[in-house]
Amino acid sequence: MATDRELVEVLGEFARTMVTDFPIQAILDRLVQRIVEIMPISAAGVTLISDGVLPRYVAASDPSALCFEQLQTELGEGPCLLAYETGEAVAVPDLAADTLFAAFRDRALADGLAAVWTFPLRQGDERLGALDLYRQSPGPLDADAMEAAQTLADVTAAYLVNAQDRADLEDSSAALQHRSLHDPLTGLPNRTMLLERLEHVLRSSDRSTTMVAVVYVDLDRFKEVNDDHGHGVGDDLLVEVATRMTALLRPGDTLARMSGDEFVVACENLDEEGQAGMIADRIVTALAAPFALGDVEVTISASAGIAFAGPGRNLQPERVLHDADVAMYQAKRKGGHRSQTIDLRARQDEQDRHGLATDLAGAVRRDELRLDYQPIVSTVDGHIVGAEALLRWDHATRGVVPPAVVVPLAEGSGIMADIGRWVLETACLDLTRWNHLPAAADLNVFVNVSALQLTDLRFVPTVASVLERTVADPRRLVLEITEAILLHDSKHAATVLSELKGLGIRIALDDFGTGHSPLTYLRAFPVDIVKIDQSFVANFLEEPSSRAIVTKVIELAHLLDITIVAEGVETADQHTALATLRSEYCQGFYFARPMAAATLEALLRDRDGRSLRLPIG
Ligand code: C2E
Ligand code: MG
Ligand code: MG
């Protein structure tokens, strides 16, 4: 008989199966194989049934079980079908004495079957099929065994629904993804895909020495073509333009349609600026030749603007695109039908950033950095359970510079490790101080760690020494990391995370859902907390796909003993919905905005102030 431990083991195995991309058939195969191992039966089978269709999936622990499964389908009669139809378990402890399924009984008895039990696979009101247990000797199953089998059937049903959802989701998301990244008229990549491509190229060109050029092409007087010949001809022209430009590309170049009559070529791996000029001139020349479109011939011209990016230059895709666009307008102002290079702005920018970076280098010394804290509350009663430290830089002339600017700047100028250390040390000192407040003894402090910090070999020793000097309790410290690090350097990340956990610290995965990491990562890395990104929370009440994702992530996290923090909670409705989904914690403007350390401390001192909202319900 299945001991509780064995049952727990099988259930655990199923939990792990679900997070990998296990196909439906494999889930069923695993179920029948394991159930025979732990139950006093000789074989097991399962059939998935949908109304009016032949069974789509069947699994069996051995050939005899397969034969009994098929027999029931063939006869349209048997305990399996009854369990499916009624949603109740069916027990036939002595098949020879059975009167309900005469046709099945006779044939099965002849094949050596003596007893059969079947359990419906059900999910809510829906039924998916049934699990059948077979034995070659008659006699009852005790109540515990019956219960264990039904539990397994229920769990299997839950995973099947999940696997089916996943299959549906994959089908639709592939189509959706293609649609969202391509221009329907020409089939070329669209603006979104171009930006993604540039982002990737610029990140990798960071490590090599070659540069990237962006050529922005706009047709001159395209509107006249539409006005004179109609939109049909205008569309045909755009398709022909795309074809001509495609013929001029080198391997590795990307051509995209931005909008209307605007196209962009991203050229990678250039050795010198002159090459981009040549490509642009070739495009301008090629587009000046007449186009034969059905019965009409159209002659147009084009203007091209060029901007560069790469090591020591601009590294932001949007910026480069903008610069190339500006250059294109300069070409147009000069009469069109020409190309024009821009670089001055990019250089100016570089100098600007250099100035800010120099200022930042002295910011710690000048005491210009500070941390704001945003409370994290228990979803059920609004009680403050933690606070996220958020970096602020009070610049002497520019005012408060947000972390979205500070962090990339610090990373670009090689001082992120120093700033990160300052953040950690300050947060730990605050944590130690608050620990002495009676009402805040269990408060957790969340500190953001950038990908660059985490990959620095000195990171773990730094954390250890900060903990030691500040005498902060590591069990109250949570480090927030982003998915990017797991995707790009997963082996190193896994090691660093285990070392951090060795120090007693907990790990939260920040902005979860934005980095496209597979859900399996939740299992692969030692993550304690998942912070669901605010972009999902912002629209999950209206958008079914966001809601599906949030629901799935929460379900899965709970299965893996991971705690959820929902970020960016701004409304009471979002709060209520998150409570229903059993998200343990919430963070967002609805509860509190980021505040000065002293303000949070005052809140903590006041026991009554610790609950930011009334209990739900
Ligand atoms: P994050 O870790 O996701 O932090 C939450 C951000 O969302 C904060 O922006 C916070 O002010 C904002 N926020 C919180 N609740 C709401 C809400 O209800 N609605 C909306 N619209 N926004 C909300 P902030 O302070 O500008 O920080 C931006 C990002 O900068 C952080 O995102 C984090 O990734 C990074 N960051 C902040 N401090 C540090 C730091 O010390 N080190 C590192 N490496 N990154 C940091
Ligand atoms: Mg964060
Ligand atoms: Mg976040």
Side-chain angles (χ1 to χ4, degrees):
M1 174 40 222
T3 63
D4 282 352
R5 231 193 92 244
E6 276 170 330
L7 186 62
V8 165
E9 244 173 53
V10 175
L11 290 177
E13 190 181 307
F14 268 73
R16 287 192 296 278
T17 305
M18 190 184 73
V19 291
T20 60
D21 283 336
F22 239 57
I24 291 173
Q25 184 69 50
I27 294 177
L28 299 181
D29 288 343
R30 185 67 61 90
L31 169 74
V32 293
Q33 186 193 327
R34 292 295 274 129
I35 203 161
V36 172
E37 284 166 28
I38 63 168
M39 304 277 276
I41 53 173
S42 41
V46 55
T47 299
L48 291 200
I49 304 168
S50 5
D51 282 333
V53 210
L54 287 174
R56 277 178 61 199
Y57 295 94
V58 180
S61 65
D62 68 13
S64 76
L66 185 61
C67 163
F68 298 138
E69 292 298 311
Q70 285 166 347
L71 184 59
Q72 296 183 68
T73 309
E74 188 190 313
L75 297 171
E77 175 204 285
C80 169
L81 295 173
L82 186 63
Y84 168 74
E85 277 156 18
T86 59
E88 301 292 332
V90 176
V92 187
D94 183 4
L95 188 61
D98 173 69
T99 51
L100 273 179
F101 320 105
F104 172 74
R105 177 196 64 208
D106 295 344
R107 303 237 329 238
L109 281 173
D111 284 336
L113 187 65
V116 52
W117 295 266
T118 88
F119 302 86
L121 297 174
R122 49 191 188 197
Q123 170 83 340
D125 292 336
E126 207 187 337
R127 287 191 292 279
L128 314 166
L131 164 70
D132 302 320
L133 310 185
Y134 303 108
R135 206 167 60 193
Q136 285 157 340
S137 57
L141 275 186
D142 66 26
D144 283 353
M146 293 289 285
E147 196 182 319
Q150 185 61 61
T151 303
L152 274 173
D154 288 343
V155 172
T156 305
Y159 294 141
L160 287 172
V161 167
N162 189 283
Q164 189 57 52
D165 280 0
R166 213 169 41 219
D168 294 348
L169 205 70
E170 265 166 29
D171 287 352
S172 54
S173 74
L176 212 78
Q177 193 175 16
H178 189 267
R179 219 179 42 200
S180 66
L181 295 177
H182 290 83
D183 160 41
L185 179 65
T186 60
L188 291 175
N190 64 11
R191 183 191 172 84
T192 308
M193 183 163 173
L194 178 80
L195 284 171
E196 273 184 18
R197 178 76 208 150
L198 272 177
E199 177 94 50
H200 173 79
V201 171
L202 290 179
R203 221 186 303 123
S204 51
S205 80
D206 213 9
R207 276 173 248 121
S208 70
T209 53
T210 55
M211 69 184 134
V212 176
V214 166
V215 181
Y216 211 113
V217 178
D218 186 286
L219 306 184
D220 303 324
R221 294 179 306 278
F222 176 66
K223 188 173 173 298
E224 288 170 25
V225 176
N226 271 332
D227 291 348
D228 295 352
H229 304 287
H231 287 275
V233 172
D235 282 355
D236 291 348
L237 176 62
L238 292 173
V239 172
E240 281 306 308
V241 165
T243 309
R244 270 191 206 176
M245 287 179 71
T246 304
L248 297 174
L249 300 182
R250 307 165 315 147
D253 290 348
T254 306
L255 171 62
R257 178 170 175 224
M258 306 304 281
S259 64
D261 60 344
E262 297 180 1
F263 295 83
V264 164
V265 184
C267 311
E268 303 172 24
N269 291 322
L270 295 179
D271 298 321
E272 46 162 15
E273 291 189 1
Q275 282 176 302
M278 273 161 52
I279 295 170
D281 287 343
R282 260 189 276 150
I283 293 173
V284 169
T285 307
L287 297 184
F291 288 87
L293 307 165
D295 339 329
V296 282
E297 190 181 273
V298 174
T299 305
I300 50 150
S301 62
S303 305
I306 308 164
F308 296 98
R313 298 164 185 267
N314 212 333
L315 281 173
Q316 285 167 303
E318 293 273 14
R319 258 257 122 77
V320 192
L321 220 51
H322 174 76
D323 284 354
D325 193 16
V326 169
M328 186 272 291
Y329 271 102
Q330 290 176 349
K332 270 206 197 289
R333 269 202 298 277
K334 289 183 182 167
H337 184 46
R338 72 186 65 223
S339 71
Q340 167 81 39
T341 301
I342 198 172
D343 212 5
L344 289 171
R345 281 180 56 94
R347 254 180 232 133
Q348 179 61 45
D349 239 42
E350 204 56 53
Q351 281 162 5
D352 259 21
R353 264 191 298 165
H354 187 69
L356 202 56
T358 314
D359 290 352
L360 182 60
V364 174
R365 195 173 23 82
R366 287 192 304 272
D367 210 13
E368 290 173 353
L369 298 183
R370 64 186 161 83
L371 294 181
D372 268 356
Y373 287 91
Q374 186 177 29
I376 295 172
V377 305
S378 153
T379 307
V380 186
D381 58 10
H383 192 75
I384 302 175
V385 295
E388 175 174 5
L390 295 163
L391 180 61
R392 304 289 180 252
W393 175 21
D394 296 316
H395 188 279
T397 54
R398 293 180 196 234
V400 183
V401 186
V405 174
V406 175
V407 171
L409 198 64
E411 293 194 337
S413 47
I415 54 173
M416 191 58 219
D418 294 338
I419 294 202
R421 186 194 177 89
W422 178 89
V423 169
L424 188 66
E425 199 159 79
T426 308
C428 283
L429 285 171
D430 287 339
L431 177 61
T432 303
R433 200 174 63 246
W434 293 332
N435 250 333
H436 298 306
L437 302 176
D442 54 354
L443 188 86
N444 299 291
V445 166
F446 291 61
V447 175
N448 291 284
V449 174
S450 81
L452 208 84
Q453 279 173 275
L454 206 70
T455 43
D456 186 332
L457 290 179
R458 287 158 305 178
F459 184 62
V460 179
T462 300
V463 174
S465 89
V466 167
L467 281 173
E468 200 177 303
R469 267 181 307 113
T470 58
V471 291
D473 181 350
R475 290 166 308 173
R476 303 266 166 263
L477 178 64
V478 180
L479 294 183
E480 293 192 8
I481 61 163
T482 55
E483 289 166 86
I485 173 83
L486 308 183
L487 283 169
H488 294 139
D489 195 355
S490 47
K491 220 168 144 190
H492 181 61
T495 316
V496 173
L497 295 187
S498 318
E499 285 172 8
L500 290 170
K501 294 205 53 132
L503 296 174
I505 295 167
R506 271 164 308 150
I507 306 293
L509 211 47
D510 201 0
D511 307 335
F512 190 74
T514 56
H516 308 292
S517 60
L519 287 185
T520 44
Y521 276 38
L522 292 186
R523 181 169 64 93
F525 294 93
V527 172
D528 304 281
I529 295 164
V530 161
K531 299 189 78 178
I532 298 181
D533 189 62
Q534 42 181 274
S535 59
F536 293 105
V537 175
N539 54 17
F540 86 120
L541 287 179
E542 299 86 37
E543 213 186 86
S545 68
S546 287
R547 192 178 180 101
I549 291 170
V550 172
T551 311
K552 277 270 130 75
V553 169
I554 294 179
E555 261 174 23
L556 182 55
H558 286 169
L559 220 58
L560 296 169
D561 255 342
I562 293 173
T563 306
I564 297 284
V565 178
E567 299 191 293
V569 182
E570 292 185 348
T571 67
D573 287 348
Q574 289 167 349
H575 176 208
T576 310
L578 286 160
T580 311
L581 293 175
R582 292 195 300 118
S583 163
E584 285 90 346
Y585 303 115
C586 287
Q587 176 179 359
F589 295 169
Y590 177 62
F591 299 97
R593 296 196 171 242
M595 57 185 79
T599 313
L600 178 65
E601 189 168 327
L603 262 183
L604 293 173
R605 277 184 190 284
D606 169 11
R607 263 174 190 279
D608 298 335
R610 263 197 87 176
S611 193
L612 293 174
R613 290 278 165 188
L614 290 175
I616 274 198

